[in-house]
Amino acid sequence: MEDLRIKNVNLQKSENLERHRTEGFSSSKALVVRRGASFRISLQLEGRPFNPKTDSLRIRVMLDHLYVIMPVTFSKKVSASHWKAYMDPADLNLQNPSIFISSPASASVGCYKFELCVFSEDRQEKHAFGKFILLCNPWCREDTVYIPFEDLREEYVLNDSGLLFMGTAVNLVSRPWSFDQYEPGVLEACLNLLQVSPQHQKNRRVDYLKRNNPAYISRVVSAMINCEDDRGVLKGNWSSNFKQGVHPSMWTGSGDILRQWAESGCRPVKYGQCWVFAAVMCTVMRVLGIPSRVVTNFNSAHDTNDNLVIEEYYSETGKKLGHSKDSIWNFHVWVECWMTRKDQGSGMDGWQVLDPTPQQRSGGVFCCGPAPVKAIRDQRINLLYDIPFVYAEVNADVHTIIVSQGRVVSRSIDTQRVGSLICTKAAGFPRLQNITGDYKYIRSPTSTLTSRSSTLSDDSTLRRASSSQGVLVFLTLDRAPVAGEPISFSVKVVNKHSVAKMMKVHLNAQAKEYNSSPSDTFWEAHGVTQLAPLEVKVLQQQILPAQYEDVVGDDLINLAVVLEDVGSHERVLASEEFNIASPQLIIQMADADSIVLNKEQTATVSFTNPFSHPVSGVLTVAGAGLIQGKIHFRMLPLRPGGRVQQRITFIPSMVGTKMLQANLSLTNINSTVRGFKMVFVNKA
């Protein structure tokens, strides 16, 4: 009888990538599939054809030294909890037989090898080998990361771009970010991140076994995004010195960071801050198949002594002082991942908080989560992991204290400021989704905020009041500040007594980074005002662009007013921290409705200088699936009010909705101007 020989094993890459919704990973050398679903391989035989009566097949699937051996049957019945290999008896090509391999929905994530053995009647064995990468499967109901609704899977797993929200709650900055999960080298870097983790280095077998659990995976990744305890991806830097690396605000996507880390032999990339840590983690989790989104908490408390109280100190003239170890970040960015939490009992499934920014240790390591969002809202602080820390970030009270000559002269409490807005990008749309109610029971109705809101609602955090026994003071921004325009605000003073009052008025403005105490005063004003009995008086003020442009840039402003009763020396304070909206780059497409794969397209980026002096800089244009790498242009000095245009060409390499983004880094002012355009690429 003629011998049966295996000439080739075809992994049917194109078919399997489409079936498993992993088409974006087509540039990977390995086949990428999702657990809980079958994929097809086909054999090309030489010599005689396969004989089902006398020949048999066996497949051995290996994850390092872990393996499972399964016979190839003719039954299509598969199990969600076991590996299975079968041939379809209704469609059997004996010269080129197809084999379906089905993994359990609880299989471990990783790079697998498989060995195919053919046993013929004379017991001769013929071997063939292959490998595949197995990811979690949000489309499989039995998978612990299953998330219902296709639009959510499209957004939180497949989408390779998004928006990060920064700034302040009523003047949001929508920063475009490219998650880059399909860019060359990113998949391999994400898998390598698991391989170099301390858990894997300590005990490979245990680590591989635990990789079936998304809660375990997410905790490993949370620690590996920062480099404080391991060979992690990013080094944090909250100083003003970034000479040894890249300023965090200059990153536009995760791909450059992950590739640089992998290509350097896992040396930390410099530098990251909270939104960079969170965005890179979101990329890794989406690559691994775990639904993930980036979340911003505005006025995020860092409660170092766990008393749910943040103390802020001011001088008697309204200068904010760095006396407290506690702090409030104007915004803090973390990640939510979707999963079932069987380890937490009932009711804790769904979104889980994970924070890779190294703030405090959890189990001895700089990581945070996964903490169920439902547990945070319900104050279930007895559950794992790190729920008290996240609860404080969204619920702490703020005690504002005025000190004079080392003595406390005034104290007030604000229970609404912390966690004033918690938001993420809406699924399928480039706008904000308010998820504050998922984290905390809202005490009063909140207005609907959009990512480009320029109006102030009645309950705006920019409309703060403080009162003493005799005087009530409001500090109100007249409108959301915009670069190149005066900062206009009002101080409203209410005399609650039926006697006249003489008041000293102190106004103070300081620049500050989002996560730290303000720097020195850059603008101040002092005066005296007379209040008649029961009088309400409004004092109008402005800070001119020339007074703030060279100081603020991408930073924020802490503005405070202190009123002192000349007669009683009683003091009252109102304050606000706010950002100044940057100008935007405008991107226009030559023919937005007919953008086609592999066909050259044209776009125009334009910028108008709103500043009071000439500016110059470097324009960088990028877009995953649209442009290979980045394109750089140098912009010559542009006079105030001047407009410049830059034409760019690109050839799309992927179908679907893609983000074209542009960043103008100004060289003579501390500011970066950004813009983005969502582009839909059609098949040719």
Side-chain angles (χ1 to χ4, degrees):
M1 178 183 290
E2 190 176 6
D3 195 15
L4 182 153
R5 297 185 302 277
I6 302 174
K7 182 180 181 182
N8 183 42
V9 177
N10 188 334
L11 296 182
Q12 301 295 337
K13 193 173 178 181
S14 178
E15 171 192 322
N16 287 318
L17 292 179
E18 182 177 358
R19 179 182 295 182
H20 287 253
R21 297 172 178 86
T22 52
E23 301 104 308
F25 299 119
S26 59
S27 63
S28 171
K29 294 180 181 179
L31 172 65
V32 183
V33 294
R34 302 190 186 278
R35 64 187 189 180
S38 61
F39 61 93
R40 183 174 74 92
I41 64 173
S42 61
L43 306 182
Q44 184 178 356
L45 302 179
E46 284 187 319
R48 66 176 177 82
F50 179 77
N51 186 342
K53 295 181 179 180
T54 60
D55 302 325
S56 63
L57 292 166
R58 188 182 70 189
I59 293 179
R60 173 182 166 120
V61 173
M62 297 160 282
L63 183 60
D64 196 51
H65 294 302
L66 301 174
Y67 66 90
V68 61
I69 298 174
M70 48 191 163
V72 178
T73 71
F74 291 92
S75 169
K76 296 172 62 177
K77 187 176 181 180
V78 298
S79 168
S81 58
H82 294 92
W83 287 90
K84 175 72 183 291
Y86 66 90
M87 292 182 175
D88 184 354
D91 185 24
L92 189 58
N93 182 332
L94 298 179
Q95 193 65 49
N96 299 107
S98 289
I99 301 170
F100 294 87
I101 301 174
S102 177
S103 63
S106 59
S108 292
V109 168
C111 186
Y112 287 74
K113 296 178 181 178
F114 69 85
E115 178 186 37
L116 182 75
C117 300
V118 182
F119 297 93
S120 56
E121 192 174 28
D122 57 5
R123 305 306 298 164
Q124 282 188 321
E125 295 186 29
K126 303 297 179 184
H127 299 271
F129 302 91
K131 67 178 182 178
F132 59 91
I133 293 169
L134 192 65
L135 308 177
C136 294
N137 191 353
W139 285 265
C140 175
R141 291 181 180 274
E142 290 78 18
D143 197 315
T144 49
V145 302
Y146 171 74
I147 185 169
F149 308 114
E150 181 62 22
D151 62 330
L152 301 187
R153 295 187 286 259
E154 290 275 348
E155 179 69 42
Y156 302 134
V157 181
L158 301 182
N159 197 351
D160 60 355
S161 65
L163 298 177
L164 314 180
F165 295 105
M166 302 162 69
T168 54
V170 294
N171 198 18
L172 288 106
V173 175
S174 304
R175 175 169 293 185
W177 189 269
S178 185
F179 293 115
D180 291 333
Q181 63 259 45
Y182 309 124
E183 293 298 287
V186 171
L187 168 66
E188 292 76 14
C190 294
L191 293 170
N192 191 34
L193 183 146
L194 299 179
Q195 299 299 102
V196 301
S197 70
Q199 291 87 342
H200 188 76
Q201 297 299 312
K202 181 180 178 180
N203 192 321
R204 295 165 65 174
R205 183 177 185 276
V206 170
D207 176 60
Y208 277 128
L209 288 171
K210 288 185 175 181
R211 278 197 211 169
N212 69 334
N213 181 359
Y216 171 80
I217 294 172
S218 65
R219 194 160 172 81
V220 170
V221 173
S222 175
M224 282 296 297
I225 296 298
N226 70 74
C227 67
E228 298 305 309
D229 308 290
D230 44 47
R231 300 167 66 195
V233 176
L234 277 161
K235 176 67 177 175
N237 186 345
W238 287 268
S239 73
S240 57
N241 183 0
F242 301 98
K243 291 182 179 178
Q244 300 299 316
V246 176
H247 192 297
S249 66
M250 297 305 295
W251 298 115
T252 60
S254 304
D256 288 342
I257 296 170
L258 287 165
R259 280 193 297 264
Q260 182 178 324
W261 172 76
E263 291 168 3
S264 69
C266 305
R267 288 208 289 270
V269 176
K270 300 175 181 180
Y271 292 102
Q273 291 184 2
C274 67
W275 70 92
V276 185
F277 286 108
V280 173
M281 180 169 182
C282 186
T283 294
V284 176
M285 301 310 283
R286 288 187 183 182
V287 165
L288 299 179
I290 300 173
S292 179
R293 63 188 186 183
V294 179
V295 170
T296 302
N297 176 38
F298 286 97
N299 295 324
S300 188
H302 191 175
D303 181 20
T304 58
N305 55 5
D306 300 324
N307 64 352
L308 290 177
V309 171
I310 306 296
E311 295 179 328
E312 294 190 332
Y313 293 87
Y314 284 83
S315 75
E316 57 191 334
T317 57
K319 181 177 181 179
K320 193 173 185 181
L321 307 171
H323 288 355
S324 177
K325 291 183 179 179
D326 291 340
S327 62
I328 297 177
W329 293 14
N330 293 90
F331 62 89
H332 181 47
V333 185
W334 58 65
V335 174
E336 286 180 357
C337 293
W338 180 278
M339 65 189 73
T340 301
R341 291 301 301 276
K342 296 176 182 177
D343 59 322
Q344 300 284 50
S346 62
M348 294 297 115
D349 299 343
W351 291 115
Q352 317 286 318
V353 172
L354 287 138
D355 191 348
T357 300
Q359 293 186 87
Q360 76 171 25
R361 295 186 188 275
S362 171
V365 177
F366 276 108
C367 67
C368 179
V373 172
K374 293 175 182 176
I376 297 163
R377 186 187 60 189
D378 296 340
Q379 303 179 43
R380 296 284 301 278
I381 59 176
N382 58 311
L383 299 178
L384 297 172
Y385 295 91
D386 309 305
I387 292 164
F389 182 75
V390 182
Y391 179 83
E393 288 183 299
V394 300
N395 284 296
D397 292 339
V398 183
H399 290 210
T400 302
I401 301 160
I402 301 176
V403 294
S404 176
Q405 298 177 340
R407 185 172 59 90
V408 174
V409 296
S410 174
R411 182 187 291 266
S412 60
I413 300 174
D414 188 341
T415 60
Q416 300 290 318
R417 180 173 160 199
V418 169
S420 57
L421 172 66
I422 306 169
C423 62
T424 188
K425 177 187 174 296
F429 300 95
R431 62 171 182 249
L432 172 150
Q433 178 183 348
N434 187 338
I435 57 172
T436 313
D438 294 347
Y439 281 82
K440 52 199 294 185
Y441 293 102
I442 307 300
R443 300 178 217 182
S444 61
T446 59
S447 61
T448 302
L449 298 172
T450 66
S451 60
R452 290 189 172 84
S453 173
S454 58
T455 59
L456 305 180
S457 60
D458 290 340
D459 60 345
S460 164
T461 57
L462 295 186
R463 200 178 292 275
R464 280 253 158 78
S466 183
S467 65
S468 67
Q469 291 182 346
V471 175
L472 182 70
V473 61
F474 291 85
L475 177 62
T476 306
L477 286 175
D478 298 338
R479 58 186 176 274
V482 177
E485 298 180 9
I487 301 170
S488 300
F489 64 98
S490 305
V491 177
K492 182 178 178 182
V493 188
V494 180
N495 182 2
K496 298 189 292 182
H497 281 187
S498 55
V499 296
K501 288 183 176 290
M502 181 71 72
M503 307 296 296
K504 291 182 180 178
V505 182
H506 305 284
L507 293 160
N508 188 286
Q510 300 159 269
K512 75 180 294 287
E513 295 182 2
Y514 75 97
N515 67 317
S516 60
S517 297
S519 56
D520 291 337
T521 299
F522 72 84
W523 177 90
E524 60 185 326
H526 306 276
V528 177
T529 188
Q530 177 78 35
L531 294 174
L534 303 177
E535 182 183 7
V536 177
K537 182 176 284 189
V538 177
L539 310 174
Q540 298 288 347
Q541 293 287 336
Q542 278 192 342
I543 305 176
L544 300 176
Q547 295 173 305
Y548 70 77
E549 281 180 350
D550 294 333
V551 180
V552 178
D554 285 336
D555 291 341
L556 298 99
I557 291 177
N558 181 275
L559 180 65
V561 56
V562 173
L563 268 64
E564 179 185 352
D565 188 324
V566 174
S568 67
H569 297 291
E570 190 176 24
R571 295 173 178 85
V572 59
L573 177 145
S575 67
E576 188 52 61
E577 292 180 346
F578 58 90
N579 59 305
I580 299 173
S582 296
Q584 290 191 333
L585 297 178
I586 305 301
I587 303 176
Q588 294 177 309
M589 304 300 301
D591 195 358
D593 295 329
S594 60
I595 297 176
V596 178
L597 185 70
N598 297 325
K599 182 181 178 183
E600 185 174 278
Q601 310 293 330
T602 302
T604 303
V605 181
S606 58
F607 169 67
T608 302
N609 179 14
F611 300 104
S612 60
H613 51 77
V615 295
S616 58
V618 176
L619 175 69
T620 302
V621 182
L626 300 173
I627 297 173
Q628 294 293 325
K630 292 181 170 64
I631 306 174
H632 302 281
F633 305 93
R634 183 165 295 280
M635 187 186 79
L636 298 175
L638 183 67
R639 61 177 176 78
R643 184 169 183 264
V644 65
Q645 288 186 324
Q646 178 64 56
R647 182 174 177 271
I648 61 169
T649 58
F650 61 96
I651 301 175
S653 59
M654 291 182 67
V655 299
T657 302
K658 300 297 169 186
M659 175 188 282
L660 183 66
Q661 58 171 308
N663 296 279
L664 176 59
S665 178
L666 301 176
T667 53
N668 55 341
I669 189 171
N670 176 29
S671 186
T672 300
V673 183
R674 298 176 174 84
F676 70 94
K677 180 84 170 178
M678 302 311 296
V679 175
F680 186 78
V681 181
N682 297 279
K683 291 182 179 180

